[in-house]
Amino acid sequence: MHYISTRGGIQPIAFKDAVMMGLATDGGLLLPEAYPQVSRQQLEEWRSLSYQELAFHIISGFVDDIPPADLKDLINRSYATFSHPEITPVVKHDGVYILELFHGVTLAFKDVALQFLGNLFEYILAERNEQLNIIGATSGDTGSAAIHGVRGKKGINIFILHPHGKTSPVQALQMTTVTDANVHNIAVSGTFDDCQDIVKALFNDLEFKKKYSLGAVNSINWARVLAQVVYYFYAWLRVTDEDERKVSFSVPTGNFGDIFAGYVAKKMGLPIDKLLLATNENNILTRFVNDGDYSLSDVVSTASPSMDIQLASNFERYLFYLYNQDSARVRGAFTQLKEQGRITFSSEEMARVQADFASASVDQAQTLETIGSFNRETGYILDPHTAVGVRAALDLLPADIARVCLATAHPAKFGEAVEKATSAATPIPPGIAALHGKPTRCDLMDADLEQVKDFFIKHIV
Ligand SMILES: *Cc1c(COP(=O)(O)O)cnc(C)c1O
């Protein structure tokens, strides 16, 4: 299997090279040249597999440059850190299935992909005798999942900048209690944008980037999407029987990575009826699906902060297929976006978009109302991100087709909003309780590029 760029500017590369490249060198995103097809019979044979076994079968269809025994070992080690034996269990409440993706170390679905990516990086770097220095800015979730993905890994250093005092206390502790020698938390006196500006400046210094082998862990890495494809299959196998049955998935969406993994599963032949793209007030993708209006506006802060995004980085992957794999059109669309602040679509294109996706935007009041009513009716507690998806599913998806809602975070991670909605304290899982009182390590810095640069150079050993 080889990988190509949405912008058409690179020669096809192997899987391991795609993992190390991250963003394509022509500025595009990497995609496989083809999708392995899964038959009905194959699906039936997969019913009895464990999550890890299923992951091996699905992932190996996209990877031909890692020996099977090594790939199995990478997968097994990645999911050994999860606290639930099923890794991503499915529960049913109030007529909807909840696919719990939050049993990893940082209690958010990003662990599913980043545990695997951390192990993959370590494996490839060892083979090539190379080093990788990851730098990133976070407003909370991605940073902690990335840190836990690479802590203690050979050949990797990670530097994560977060705005001092502006992440939730739990999110800060999930980062700063990781005291492995290769992990560097930098609390910046400033905003998330200040952190991001510093990281961007470091990456834009191409000489610096090359000299110090800088890398990123944002959601554009193909390996992250690939790891997420697995749980669509896993959930489908849990909620169907041998009769031909379709399933719809509701996905709380920010960067379009999670829902794109569902689109990949569908492309591989998984019988998916609708992919429901649920957004909060930051609803550019909902306006796109429903009205063909892909125009930028300002980012609004909400109770589901991991979805407070305007420009979804993985959207380009979908555009590539919407444009029938025409890279020139992808490039044209981004030129239009830059010049006019919007991308426009033909009615034929919109018909295809609406065949692939349904979409709804759920505002903060509806989100909190859904957490409250769902809790009263079922006793189950939704986190605000999950609640956006559940509300959209209840409003839009017909009940005669199984509805699976992706639960992307544990409610205790966003306890404040949940307590407001349920008027009760959120039960604290042992993983969070144990954070308090642990030793922490974090360096406080000004929002100053040179200060961060000096620190970085001193600490890459
Ligand atoms: C990252 C995240 C999302 C959004 O996922 P995308 O892949 O960016 O669309 C939703 N919920 C939670 C809790 C997240 O951390």
Side-chain angles (χ1 to χ4, degrees), residues 35-39 46 57-59 61-62 226 229 233 261-271:
Y35 289 86
Q37 292 302 301
V38 177
S39 66
W46 284 353
H57 283 285
I58 291 168
I59 293 173
F62 292 90
L226 179 55
V229 173
F233 280 86
Y263 179 76
V264 169
K266 195 171 177 178
K267 264 182 137 16
M268 293 171 70
L270 188 69

Side-chain angles (χ1 to χ4, degrees), residues 195-213:
C195 298
Q196 208 160 26
D197 287 346
I198 293 172
V199 171
K200 273 189 196 150
L202 291 171
F203 275 97
N204 284 340
D205 183 344
L206 295 183
E207 209 176 300
F208 187 84
K209 180 172 178 233
K210 192 151 182 242
K211 182 169 175 196
Y212 294 109
S213 313

Side-chain angles (χ1 to χ4, degrees), residues 233-251:
F233 280 86
Y234 189 77
W236 188 93
L237 291 166
R238 299 286 84 72
V239 308
T240 59
D241 51 34
E242 281 171 41
D243 301 334
E244 176 80 38
R245 253 221 302 160
K246 282 204 169 186
V247 174
S248 289
F249 288 91
S250 179
V251 189

Side-chain angles (χ1 to χ4, degrees), residues 45-68:
E45 286 166 15
W46 284 353
R47 261 188 209 287
S48 57
L49 299 184
S50 69
Y51 186 93
Q52 290 87 334
E53 290 165 336
L54 181 67
F56 172 73
H57 283 285
I58 291 168
I59 293 173
S60 59
F62 292 90
V63 179
D64 49 20
D65 53 353
I66 297 178

